[in-house]
Amino acid sequence: MKKQINTVGVCGAGGTMGAGIALVAARAGFRTISYDMKNDPLERAANQSAAFLGKSVERGKLKAEERDTILSAMSHTTKIEDLSVCDLVIEAVFEDLTTKRDLLKRLDAVCAKDTIFASNTSTLSITEIASGSSHPERVVGMHFCLPAQLMKLIEMSPGILTSDETFQTAWQWTEACKQIPVKTQDKPGFILNALLVPFNNDAIRAVEAGVADAENVDRAIKAALGYKMGPLELIDLVGLDTQIRLCEAFYPITLDPRAATPPLLRRMVAAGLLGRKSGRGFFRYEGNAMFGA
């Protein structure tokens, strides 16, 4: 690597995506510091990570001592100052441009001058996010796929001012984590969400229009297209509220009517049906174990 990365910080680590990214980093042998503003989501994420790794041991995919090594590499904090020792900080906070910019400003104040900042945004412009930092040349897009601890693909996106050194170092880090990086341009939705947000909304609208219920929509798509997970099951995993945020970020940029939030989605979120994390979305769930555990 052009810059030696030893310690990785993950902001928003109390969420599903952030917890998965922290696992990816620690599993690859990097000291990993998970940051969130409150202790409760951090503790929940820590318990889920331990359970996930425990299941890996039970299934023979991981040795007990390897699990212990990974867990010992992971720490959690509610103090952003603790990220000052990080060589790479990955933000996985929710899809709001102001929130991400403000976070970068706070990181600028505590991190070293050569720390690389990566955004896990799935829809927003890396260049616009980087404008929140006084060092936009050190900001890069690094979009992990959900669930990060199982999926290998990472969409790597340079902003207009991202330096070659930053991009190459981040790219090499993803390879060190045994992930599969793919270079994309700083375009709305990159590759995956440019295709998935409208497609998933189409599946919601099919249910809303009475074409079929959720189970049969997913069954048809999995059987015909060979998908391991149907679009409505995926939305439940991502979170119905997150799908709304994706739509609200993506639609104003593209003006694609298929990216606009389906009314059924808003009604379900208003009723508290958020997917796996609430126990019910398009399907019902028991427990809150990390996906794949």
Side-chain angles (χ1 to χ4, degrees), residues 19 34 85 105 170 196 222 224 277:
S34 295
V85 297
K105 289 178 182 177
L196 272 179
K222 287 190 288 185
K277 58 188 171 185

Side-chain angles (χ1 to χ4, degrees), residues 15 20 110 116 118-119 122 145 163 182 187 216 240 244 275:
V110 300
I116 291 175
S119 175
S122 55
C145 296
S163 71
V182 172
K187 302 285 187 179
N216 282 294
L240 277 70
I244 287 180

Side-chain angles (χ1 to χ4, degrees), residues 22 56 60 111 160 202 210:
S56 296
C111 291
I160 290 176
D202 288 344

Side-chain angles (χ1 to χ4, degrees), residues 21 88-93 95 100 104 116-126 129-130 138-144 154-157 190:
I21 293 172
L88 167 67
V89 178
I90 304 169
E91 70 82 7
V93 302
E95 290 290 87
K100 291 180 184 291
L104 285 183
I116 291 175
F117 302 127
S119 175
N120 183 58
T121 183
S122 55
T123 55
L124 301 174
S125 165
I126 300 303
I129 292 171
R138 293 195 274 112
V139 181
V140 63
M142 190 183 287
H143 177 226
F144 290 72
I154 300 180
E155 293 181 306
M156 300 291 297
S157 308
F190 311 119

Side-chain angles (χ1 to χ4, degrees), residues 2 18 82 98 107 127 140 163 171 257 288:
K2 294 181 180 298
D82 290 342
T98 299
L107 289 170
T127 302
V140 63
S163 71
W171 181 282
N288 63 347

